[in-house]
Amino acid sequence: MSIKSEKISVRQAMLILLVLTYSPCMRLIPFYTAQKANQAAWLSPIISFLCILVLVLMINSFYKNYQTKEVSFSDIICDVLGRFSGKLLIFMYIIFLIFLTAFYTRFLGERLVGTLFTGTDTRFFIIIVLVFVSFLLNKGLVVIARMSEIVFFILLIAFISISFFLIPNIDIKNLTPISYLDIFPVARASVGVTEIWSYYTLIFFFTDRISNFKKIKKTGLQIAFFSLAIMIVLITTCIGVLGSEIVKLSTFPYIQTVQMISIFGVIERVESVINLIWTASDFILIGVFSYITLHLIKFLFNIKNIVPFKNIFLVLTFVISSAFVTHEFKLLDFSVIVLTPAIMFFCYGVPIILFVVGKVRGKI
Amino acid sequence: MIFLFIVVVLLISLMEIIALSPKNNKKDLAVFIALAFFTLSLGIIYFIYQEHLSIADLIIDAISRKAGGINP
């Protein structure tokens, strides 16, 4: 692919993961966890952290046998499940990723229309983003990785500053009481957090483009600890400021939370900064998912040159995202009813199946 | 206008695929044509139904029917 063959480091791959999970975190986690666990939602990342530790160790065990070769996750799937079943699963991954990319593209458009550019046609933003993604795909994975590094530091500084400014607005009553009765709601809420973290699996579809793969376990664990801290802060600020009842009903709870910031009555409307970073994160996310999908199409059909497919894939994404929903509220419904189970299956369930089958067949 | 845009992008992609590998591109071309056909069909369906078409609704309906729920 153009989509050139230069390699990126494990650290860069993990930074891509952190940047691309920012947008889904802001979209889903406050809303989902508040719906399932109310005031105890901020505890849900702890259970998810344990789940993600299992995923990190499991994926690390896959690569122990393949460390000397340049293999991607798709190669491992075909090796463990057999050629036919593996290719069938890869085909399902392509369908899943096309829908996921289209979903995030539409959500980006709806968010910009809903928060900043009221009354504008959503398709306008969708076309602009997809044209830029087309440029990004031309430049290849190295540029995506370097962009992610820059976006990550901006994102981190903005997130820490905003969380700091939100501290005075947090009401402890919104986060308590906590009792043993909250264990099951917290476990249910943790599904949403685990879902987002399990995008970790998708990064492994381009491991043939990642160098120094021995560090994957260490870096993966560092990322898991870092994400745990970020998630707890995110949920605590949203629910602590707005209360779980408001978060449950809100389409963009994090933006509503940030709207509460007022520094000495002088600096307000900070949500525009969040929108900017959110758009950058969405852009990276759509770019990376498009890259992975094209990578998988190349693998599945054994295509020599994937560059001509880039445009047609983006047109397909445009058509699906335009026809995705008739109303923005349906996006959240779709996210909870369809996407959550689908992501859990493809990003968490499949590695478990692979691990079990691999152990039985002696491949792992 | 958007439909025209889609057709133009498809044609550009087709030209790219023919220009890049003129000899051994039969498989690439076959996959490309299949993908283009699917995209165009979906595009035509979308432009016929416009605001009435919702892929998310269709999927949610299919899931609720499978689960035994009634979803008119």
Side-chain angles (χ1 to χ4, degrees):
Chain A
M1 291 193 343
S2 81
I3 311 188
K4 293 163 191 165
S5 55
E6 298 130 320
K7 292 197 169 185
I8 61 168
S9 67
V10 174
R11 193 185 66 91
Q12 283 178 315
M14 290 302 138
L15 285 184
I16 291 179
L17 176 72
L18 282 179
V19 172
L20 73 83
T21 49
Y22 179 83
S23 163
C25 284
M26 302 299 148
R27 166 184 67 82
L28 182 75
I29 286 179
F31 165 79
Y32 189 90
T33 53
Q35 259 195 348
K36 303 285 176 188
N38 294 310
Q39 79 288 351
W42 58 277
L43 291 170
S44 55
I46 297 169
I47 297 176
S48 303
F49 174 72
L50 299 176
C51 298
I52 217 71
L53 277 187
V54 174
L55 187 68
V56 169
L57 296 174
M58 214 157 46
I59 288 183
N60 183 57
S61 73
F62 294 163
Y63 282 90
K64 273 183 185 167
N65 285 353
Y66 300 94
Q67 268 185 358
T68 50
K69 301 169 202 164
E70 282 184 1
V71 289
S72 66
F73 194 55
S74 31
D75 291 307
I76 297 177
I77 289 176
C78 285
D79 193 34
V80 171
L81 295 182
R83 198 171 161 75
F84 177 75
S85 317
K87 291 234 167 182
L88 188 68
L89 189 61
I90 298 290
F91 181 71
M92 286 163 72
Y93 263 108
I94 292 171
I95 303 287
F96 161 69
L97 280 168
I98 288 174
F99 274 95
L100 201 60
T101 314
F103 171 82
Y104 279 113
T105 314
R106 179 60 183 259
F107 200 84
L108 168 72
E110 290 292 348
R111 184 173 47 75
L112 287 174
V113 170
T115 54
L116 290 177
F117 303 96
T118 320
T120 316
D121 192 338
T122 320
R123 289 178 297 186
F124 174 70
F125 296 108
I126 293 176
I127 289 177
I128 288 178
V129 167
L130 291 179
V131 168
F132 278 107
V133 168
S134 171
F135 283 121
L136 186 70
L137 289 176
N138 269 336
K139 300 292 176 191
L141 189 60
V142 175
V143 173
I144 297 178
R146 286 182 187 159
M147 264 192 75
S148 302
E149 280 182 291
I150 298 165
V151 171
F152 173 74
F153 286 109
I154 300 171
L155 186 152
L156 188 66
I157 292 165
F159 183 77
I160 291 171
S161 321
I162 283 167
S163 305
F164 179 74
F165 291 131
L166 280 170
I167 291 173
N169 297 324
I170 293 174
D171 189 351
I172 297 296
K173 283 179 193 163
N174 289 333
L175 301 166
T176 50
I178 306 289
S179 75
Y180 68 91
L181 292 172
D182 292 311
I183 292 172
F184 288 110
V186 166
R188 278 202 299 273
S190 72
V191 174
V193 186
T194 313
E195 169 205 335
I196 305 296
W197 279 356
S198 58
Y199 284 153
Y200 180 76
T201 308
L202 297 179
I203 293 294
F204 289 84
F205 278 113
F206 51 79
T207 39
D208 49 334
R209 300 281 159 84
I210 299 176
S211 61
N212 202 7
F213 217 75
K214 285 175 187 169
K215 287 183 180 172
I216 196 72
K217 184 179 167 187
K218 188 184 161 198
T219 320
L221 292 176
Q222 283 172 347
I223 294 297
F225 275 108
F226 180 79
S227 301
L228 173 69
I230 294 283
M231 293 286 174
I232 291 178
V233 172
L234 169 69
I235 300 171
T236 308
T237 46
C238 280
I239 295 177
V241 172
L242 295 178
S244 60
E245 292 305 319
I246 296 175
V247 172
K248 272 185 221 176
L249 299 171
S250 172
T251 321
F252 306 108
Y254 191 66
I255 290 183
Q256 270 186 299
T257 310
V258 173
Q259 278 173 344
M260 297 293 191
I261 292 178
S262 171
I263 306 159
F264 307 119
V266 180
I267 302 172
E268 287 175 342
R269 309 274 305 167
V270 193
E271 69 272 13
S272 51
V273 178
I274 287 297
N275 252 314
L276 189 75
I277 301 165
W278 199 336
T279 307
S281 164
D282 265 331
F283 175 65
I284 300 278
L285 181 142
I286 295 164
V288 172
F289 284 174
S290 306
Y291 181 87
I292 297 171
T293 315
L294 289 170
H295 207 66
L296 288 179
I297 291 175
K298 187 183 178 188
F299 176 84
L300 183 68
F301 297 107
N302 211 8
I303 290 168
K304 290 182 186 72
N305 189 359
I306 197 74
V307 175
F309 289 82
K310 179 195 69 186
N311 290 335
I312 196 169
F313 169 73
L314 293 175
V315 168
L316 183 65
T317 307
F318 168 75
V319 173
I320 295 179
S321 60
S322 301
F324 214 88
V325 282
T326 47
H327 198 277
E328 62 171 292
F329 291 118
K330 290 279 182 182
L331 276 175
L332 279 176
D333 283 349
F334 183 80
S335 166
V336 174
I337 298 170
V338 182
L339 268 190
T340 302
I343 294 171
M344 283 303 280
F345 172 73
F346 283 107
C347 300
Y348 204 90
V350 169
I352 294 174
I353 294 168
L354 276 184
F355 185 76
V356 173
V357 175
K359 283 283 177 201
V360 171
R361 295 188 67 192
K363 298 266 185 188
I364 291 167
Chain B
M1 274 302 283
I2 291 171
F3 190 67
L4 193 67
F5 165 76
I6 291 176
V7 173
V8 169
V9 174
L10 288 179
L11 285 175
I12 292 170
S13 304
L14 185 63
M15 279 192 289
E16 266 183 48
I17 203 164
I18 293 168
L20 280 171
S21 50
K23 282 179 186 170
N24 303 315
N25 66 350
K26 279 183 188 166
K27 198 173 184 182
D28 291 20
L29 200 62
V31 177
F32 179 87
I33 289 168
L35 203 60
F37 182 74
F38 178 68
T39 307
L40 266 180
S41 314
L42 202 64
I44 291 167
I45 292 169
Y46 170 62
F47 287 104
I48 291 170
Y49 290 100
Q50 291 272 342
E51 266 100 66
H52 304 290
L53 180 69
S54 163
I55 294 172
D57 281 352
L58 291 174
I59 296 171
I60 292 171
D61 277 3
I63 290 171
S64 14
R65 274 199 207 105
K66 197 123 190 164
I70 299 161
N71 198 338

